[in-house]
Amino acid sequence: IKDTKGGGDSVDNVVLNQIDLPFIADYLSWKKLEKLKNTYIAGLIRESVNGILRPSFNLNTVVTFRSSSSNPNFQNLPIRDKEQGEIIRRAFIPREGHRIGGVDYSGIEVKIAACYHKDPVMLKYINDATTDMHRDMAMECYILDEKQVTKDSRFYAKNCFVFPEFYGDWYASCARALWNAITEYNLKRKDETPLKDHLREKGITSYKKFEKHIQGVEDRFWNEKFMVYRDWKDDLLKSYERNGYVTLYTGFQCKGRLRKNEVINYPVQGVAFHCLLWSLPRVLKMYKENNLRSLVIGQIHDEITMDNHADELDFILTQSKKIMCNDIREAWPWIIVPLDIEAEFADVNESWFYKKQVAISEKIEF
């Protein structure tokens, strides 16, 4: 059902997951466990000193001006696969009396992109809490009513269509990813009807018909909904062709030989990380000035990872929100949209695997 770059038959995970044989299921489980052992567990054991990891965070190696991590790669721990995620994240535990977790910018790349292109439809999605772009696209991609959309169908519409389209992908690739997600993750409607059965009810009886449908979704996405965003991308590409570089809001320049999707993505990805990079030393300063027992222990893309004393958590979350959402906008007035953060922490003394959403109070005195 899929070719390799050399023209042979592909046997990657996407293909194998569609073969309903016990041997294949066992083989895929074995591959997953082998990678878990050799890539993740062995690396954690190798880099651990007296039970503590001290990964490096690098600011000079990524062409987008984001960060990277090494020894071990703290930013690439498995989470989407539930089995791998549980095994690895249960290895991370807080100090006694502490809670492990982090604060994460919510939708930061979409918001930073909006600061560049200023598309009014996108700005409405960002500013109006009653709207939900990813839900709306799940409805279009999978031909669902609003009440039929599940958390999973929204997630895969977001990650297999919305973000890929923003980052320069096209309908055929998005259609394949959306179609494979239905099978691989057993996607259903809210009433438990399998999405494949639902699509057949809507006349989508084959992959080719689904791809044709997604082509229409893509056409409406750019030529009816986000036309201002589309035109900004075109203008940015023309500017790059003239000058050989693109300039980020934070002053850095991505230059040299860049592909189309890189020209579009790098200014957004770099600046989204720089919002965290601006905030992180100020959060650390807040810890120090208040003589907190808590620690910042890492950074994962748009998240500051923390090991916070239970008595200090509310204060830290409130102060982090002030720094990351309010103070930064005063420093950088080109941020024309509201910023928000979300917090996820495990309970006291529980491992990182058990993190859950935690509310952030408006004002806490410490």
Side-chain angles (χ1 to χ4, degrees):
I1 62 172
K2 182 180 174 183
D3 293 336
T4 64
K5 289 183 179 179
D9 293 329
S10 174
V11 287
D12 65 14
N13 282 358
V14 172
V15 174
L16 294 177
N17 269 297
Q18 297 185 57
I19 300 174
D20 186 20
L21 290 174
F23 172 80
I24 297 297
D26 288 345
Y27 173 71
L28 287 171
S29 296
W30 173 76
K31 276 184 66 180
K32 185 191 298 183
L33 291 169
E34 184 183 44
K35 180 177 181 180
L36 185 69
K37 173 178 177 287
N38 295 335
T39 302
Y40 299 116
I41 295 175
L44 297 183
I45 292 172
R46 183 181 65 247
E47 299 297 335
S48 174
V49 178
N50 297 327
I52 298 175
L53 292 170
R54 295 176 175 83
S56 296
F57 295 91
N58 315 301
L59 298 177
N60 62 327
T61 60
V62 184
V63 294
T64 60
F65 294 101
R66 290 179 70 99
S67 68
S68 67
S69 177
S70 56
N71 303 319
N73 186 346
F74 190 70
Q75 298 177 344
N76 193 36
L77 299 172
I79 186 61
R80 291 299 171 202
D81 184 283
K82 293 180 180 178
E83 182 182 20
Q84 290 186 337
E86 177 174 3
I87 291 171
I88 292 300
R89 291 190 177 239
R90 284 178 65 179
F92 289 82
I93 57 174
R95 292 169 295 159
E96 184 69 26
H98 287 234
R99 300 178 66 176
I100 189 170
V103 292
D104 186 275
Y105 271 116
S106 176
I108 187 68
E109 290 194 4
V110 170
K111 293 178 179 180
I112 293 302
C115 294
Y116 281 104
H117 58 67
K118 303 175 178 66
D119 188 296
V121 177
M122 181 69 77
L123 291 174
K124 178 174 172 57
Y125 270 124
I126 292 171
N127 291 308
D128 186 349
T130 66
T131 63
D132 185 339
M133 175 174 57
H134 304 308
R135 177 204 63 203
D136 290 351
M137 294 318 301
M139 291 166 62
E140 279 208 61
C141 290
Y142 290 127
I143 322 178
L144 296 164
D145 296 332
E146 183 176 336
K147 293 181 179 179
Q148 295 173 325
V149 176
T150 64
K151 184 178 180 180
D152 284 342
S153 59
R154 180 188 181 277
F155 175 84
Y156 289 106
K158 169 184 173 181
N159 290 284
C160 297
F161 182 84
V162 177
F163 282 161
E165 287 285 342
F166 285 164
Y167 296 154
D169 214 338
W170 68 309
Y171 74 86
S173 176
C174 293
R176 176 57 68 184
L178 287 163
W179 185 261
N180 288 340
I182 297 173
T183 302
E184 189 169 352
Y185 301 102
N186 193 27
L187 300 187
K188 299 177 180 179
R189 294 188 321 209
K190 267 275 178 69
D191 64 2
E192 294 297 311
T193 299
L195 274 194
K196 281 281 177 72
D197 294 344
H198 165 80
L199 289 171
R200 276 193 287 270
E201 292 174 9
K202 300 294 183 180
I204 306 293
T205 55
S206 66
Y207 171 72
K208 284 297 180 185
K209 288 186 177 181
F210 183 71
E211 184 179 285
K212 186 71 175 176
H213 161 67
I214 296 299
Q215 184 179 8
V217 173
E218 180 188 68
D219 182 69
R220 292 188 296 275
F221 191 77
W222 290 117
N223 297 320
E224 296 179 18
K225 184 171 283 191
F226 295 118
M227 294 181 288
V228 174
Y229 193 168
R230 176 202 63 196
D231 293 343
W232 171 79
K233 292 196 301 179
D234 292 341
D235 291 342
L236 185 65
L237 286 166
K238 290 174 184 175
S239 173
Y240 167 72
E241 289 166 0
R242 288 194 307 270
N243 301 318
Y245 60 84
V246 290
T247 303
L248 281 59
Y249 265 139
T250 45
F252 296 92
Q253 288 185 339
C254 299
K255 61 182 68 176
R257 189 174 63 185
L258 303 177
R259 298 191 299 274
K260 174 184 174 181
N261 63 333
E262 292 172 337
V263 172
I264 296 165
N265 297 338
Y266 286 3
V268 175
Q269 293 177 350
V271 171
F273 168 67
H274 293 159
C275 290
L276 189 95
L277 188 59
W278 186 93
S279 300
L280 198 149
R282 289 161 176 83
V283 170
L284 288 170
K285 184 180 179 183
M286 176 266 293
Y287 274 57
K288 186 174 181 180
E289 287 177 344
N290 289 279
N291 296 314
L292 301 182
R293 292 165 287 181
S294 303
L295 286 176
V296 169
I297 57 173
Q299 170 263 321
I300 303 175
H301 306 307
D302 304 320
E303 174 191 300
I304 300 175
T305 312
M306 302 165 166
D307 176 59
N308 290 338
H309 192 278
D311 295 342
E312 298 169 347
L313 181 62
D314 285 341
F315 173 77
I316 288 169
L317 295 184
T318 304
Q319 293 301 308
S320 295
K321 184 168 185 176
K322 176 182 177 295
I323 292 166
M324 298 171 71
C325 301
N326 300 335
D327 294 355
I328 191 172
R329 292 188 66 192
E330 292 181 12
W332 288 346
W334 51 263
I335 302 179
I336 61 171
V337 296
L339 301 181
D340 197 13
I341 61 170
E342 296 175 342
E344 289 189 325
F345 282 82
D347 288 335
V348 178
N349 298 332
E350 283 195 345
S351 77
W352 199 13
F353 173 72
Y354 295 104
K355 69 176 184 176
K356 56 190 176 185
Q357 194 142 0
V358 175
I360 302 176
S361 304
E362 288 301 314
K363 188 174 183 181
I364 295 283
E365 296 297 337
F366 185 69

